[in-house]
Structures are given as C-alpha cells and as structure tokens.
Amino acid sequence: MNTTVSYDFVNNNVVSDVAHVCNLAQVTPICIMFRDTSIDNVTIEFSNRDDAIRFTEEYLGSDDPADIQEYVV
C-alpha cells in the first residue's frame, strides 16, 4: 500500500536535500511533489510504509516512534 507524507525542507536547495535523504535512507519514492510554500513544501509518495519510515528517520535524525508518528500515520 502506498504511503504519502509531507515534509518541511527549509534550505534553498530543496531538490538536492530530498535526494540526499533518499540516498541515506536507501529509498526510491514513487512521486515527489515540490510546492512553493513554507509549510509542507515537499510531499512524497512511497511504495510502502517501511520506506516512508526509513525516509522520515533520516529526515528527522531520529528513530523514536513518537517522532516518526508525527509524519507517518
């Protein structure tokens, strides 16, 4: 089942930042949508919940389930 999660990336090079986190997490998203907003400016569709969790762990720098649940329901 696909999982879609939104993130806030704050640097000027958002595309590079997302690619870097994907590389660290070793995930390949199905789709990445970039928005010109300050909140939830990147929405990523993952092929499964495990990929979403791995990406979120790298994004947050945390594997605490409470932190992950704020993003991956």
Side-chain angles (χ1 to χ4, degrees):
M1 179 190 279
N2 295 353
T3 301
T4 303
V5 183
S6 294
Y7 301 93
D8 300 326
F9 280 83
V10 295
N11 294 335
N12 290 334
N13 200 352
V14 175
V15 174
S16 179
D17 291 346
V18 170
H20 182 69
V21 175
C22 285
N23 187 39
L24 290 174
Q26 297 182 344
V27 299
T28 303
I30 294 172
C31 178
I32 304 171
M33 294 179 287
F34 298 94
R35 291 186 187 74
D36 189 21
T37 61
S38 59
I39 297 174
D40 293 343
N41 61 340
V42 178
T43 300
I44 303 175
E45 182 179 357
F46 300 95
S47 59
N48 58 61
R49 191 171 186 274
D50 290 339
D51 284 357
I53 289 171
R54 283 199 313 273
F55 183 93
T56 305
E57 287 174 343
E58 288 296 333
Y59 169 78
L60 294 174
S62 171
D63 61 358
D64 183 336
D67 293 339
I68 304 304
Q69 287 178 349
E70 290 184 32
Y71 291 85
V72 183
V73 180

